[in-house]
């Protein structure tokens, strides 16, 4: 039998059964497994999908979960014209014991939560322990999830948030109203960089929205928002080149991260500079921050192994709680 979990099923499980801290733990273990060689995550191949859209099959396997998975991500830039999501995804979880399809899950909320969890893992292993202020460039759902995730791993007291939309900032304030955090609206991305200890860039920007010239000693930056397109980036080449760079997956970054690829093209990075993965820092902390004045930068493209670890936790919880719909695909 195969379990089907809709977006509302996933939301119910996150709210009632699988808390965000559990997703953090699963994502951290997944990256450590990747570094130790007990999980695999090849770079996704890009397949044309009409009108400049692409399909990216994000595959992964993990001995820990005795499973493999594929998230089929559709990247459709033209959807914005019709008011539709530019990215949509579905995750298929397969048993390593039988080869059968265990579950099919809507990927929307999973992607947002596991992405924030990965940034929180990077922050926990790279940011200064005393970091007390969080900066957000972008104020949508990713900003909400990043605030919740990072506030669990650092003593965050104040959030500086910038968005082109005042209404989006107001909605952000409402959605994190249960957290005991002071929120200040920043008037520019540079303002965010000047004020915060940890900064997350969360915009689908095509052109750099953050410059390395704005970096201060001790900063930790999570570069998250740019879609997996080689011509999109949030950080300029100088910023990518002057920080201690950590990626989620070297193979994925060198094929899908515009931040990385354009910095290489500009001459600020070489491929050999893209050598430290998040899992490496987890298992060998000396490969990360070495001093309080270091500037660390986590370049997050997103990998299928994060989806696999999160899907496994959700499916196990759903089976225990009786959430979702089961179907017999062989019938």
């Amino acid at each position: 039998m195969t379990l089907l979990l809709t977006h509302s099923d996933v939301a119910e499980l996150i709210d009632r059964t699988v808390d965000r801290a559990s997703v953090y733990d699963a994502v951290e273990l997944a990256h450590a497994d990747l570094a130790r060689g007990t999980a695999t995550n090849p770079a996704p191949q890009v397949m044309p999908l009409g009108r400049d859209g692409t399909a990216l099959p994000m595959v992964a396997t993990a001995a820990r979960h005795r499973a493999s998975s594929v998230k089929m991500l559709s990247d459709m830039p033209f959807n914005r014209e019709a008011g539709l999501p530019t990215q949509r995804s579905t995750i298929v979880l397969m048993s390593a014991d039988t080869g059968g399809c265990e579950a099919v899950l809507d990927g929307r909320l999973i992607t947002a939560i596991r992405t924030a969890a990965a940034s929180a893992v990077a922050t926990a292993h790279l940011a200064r322990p005393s970091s007390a202020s969080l900066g957000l460039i972008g104020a949508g759902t990713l900003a909400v999830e990043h605030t919740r995730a990072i506030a669990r791993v650092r003593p965050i007291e104040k959030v500086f948030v910038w968005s082109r939309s005042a209404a989006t900032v107001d909605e952000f304030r409402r959605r994190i109203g249960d957290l005991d955090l002071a929120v200040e609206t920043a008037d520019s991305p540079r303002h965010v960089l000047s004020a915060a200890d940890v900064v997350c860039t969360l915009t689908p920007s095509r052109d750099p929205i953050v410059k390395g010239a704005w970096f201060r000693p001790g900063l930790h930056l999570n570069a998250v928002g740019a879609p997996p397109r080689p011509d999109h980036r949030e950080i300029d080449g100088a910023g990518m080149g002057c920080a201690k760079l950590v990626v989620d997956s070297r193979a994925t970054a060198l094929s899908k991260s515009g931040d990385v690829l354009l910095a290489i093209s500009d001459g600020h990075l070489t491929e050999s500079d893209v050598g430290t993965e998040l899992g490496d820092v987890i298992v060998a902390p000396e490969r990360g921050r070495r001093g309080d004045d270091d500037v660390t930068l986590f370049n997050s493209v997103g990998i299928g192994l994060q989806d696999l670890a999160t899907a496994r936790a959700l499916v196990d919880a759903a089976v225990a709680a009786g959430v979702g719909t089961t179907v017999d695909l062989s019938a």
Side-chain angles (χ1 to χ4, degrees):
M1 301 294 284
T2 298
L3 179 66
L4 303 182
L5 295 177
T6 65
H7 173 72
S8 58
D9 292 332
V10 171
E12 178 183 347
L13 289 165
I14 291 292
D15 288 340
R16 299 183 182 180
T17 307
V18 180
D19 62 20
R20 287 166 171 81
S22 297
V23 176
Y24 173 97
D25 291 340
V27 168
E28 184 177 49
L29 286 170
H31 279 278
D33 288 344
L34 188 60
R36 294 184 177 117
T38 59
T40 58
N41 191 100
Q45 298 297 311
V46 178
M47 300 182 294
L49 198 59
R51 283 194 63 195
D52 296 326
T54 56
L56 289 83
M58 300 171 63
V59 302
T61 65
R64 178 185 301 276
H65 302 302
R66 301 196 63 77
S68 61
S69 70
V70 57
K71 179 169 81 173
M72 184 58 75
L73 171 66
S74 298
D75 185 24
M76 317 293 277
F78 51 82
N79 271 1
R80 186 174 287 107
E81 302 166 7
L84 298 173
T86 57
Q87 293 186 348
R88 289 175 165 172
S89 61
T90 301
I91 301 168
V92 177
L93 185 69
M94 307 291 290
S95 168
D97 295 322
T98 68
C101 179
E102 288 192 57
V104 178
L105 307 87
D106 180 77
R108 182 180 10 159
L109 186 56
I110 292 172
T111 299
I113 289 173
R114 63 79 155 149
T115 299
S119 293
V121 171
T123 301
H125 289 275
L126 292 168
R128 292 176 299 176
S130 61
S131 298
S133 55
L134 174 65
L136 304 170
I137 298 176
T141 295
L142 273 178
V144 172
E145 293 297 337
H146 274 70
T147 301
R148 294 189 179 280
I150 291 172
R152 287 194 299 271
V153 302
R154 283 295 181 267
I156 301 300
E157 298 173 353
K158 189 168 187 177
V159 179
F160 298 89
V161 58
W162 174 85
S163 171
R164 290 187 174 92
S165 167
T168 303
V169 174
D170 290 341
E171 179 66 6
F172 168 80
R173 290 176 182 272
R174 184 192 69 78
R175 293 176 68 183
I176 65 158
D178 57 308
L179 302 178
D180 185 21
L181 297 172
V183 178
E184 179 177 321
T185 302
D187 57 20
S188 68
R190 187 169 187 170
H191 179 182
V192 174
L193 269 291
S194 72
D197 300 319
V198 176
V199 172
C200 302
T201 61
L202 306 165
T203 71
S205 181
R206 187 182 191 111
D207 299 312
I209 201 166
V210 167
K211 296 182 179 181
W214 304 342
F215 292 180
R216 294 180 297 114
L219 173 70
H220 172 67
L221 186 71
N222 298 306
V224 179
R229 304 172 198 155
D231 61 344
H232 282 61
R233 60 175 167 178
E234 295 181 290
I235 317 299
D236 71 359
M240 295 295 292
C242 74
K244 169 59 182 177
L245 177 63
V246 177
V247 298
D248 45 18
S249 159
R250 184 175 190 270
T252 300
L254 288 173
S255 63
K256 299 292 176 291
S257 171
D259 286 293
V260 167
L261 294 171
L262 291 170
I264 291 173
S265 177
D266 292 345
H268 292 284
L269 286 177
T270 66
E271 287 195 11
S272 63
D273 293 322
V274 190
T276 304
E277 296 185 348
L278 180 55
D280 299 327
V281 175
I282 294 169
V283 302
E286 66 275 10
R287 297 190 64 178
R289 176 179 293 275
R290 296 186 178 182
D292 282 349
D293 286 344
D294 287 355
V295 174
T296 53
L297 193 159
F298 174 55
N299 180 234
S300 173
V301 183
I303 61 175
L305 185 59
Q306 297 164 349
D307 299 307
L308 169 54
T310 307
R312 174 82 278 164
L314 288 167
V315 169
D316 290 348
V319 170
V323 174
T325 303
T326 55
V327 298
D328 185 356
L329 295 180
S330 65

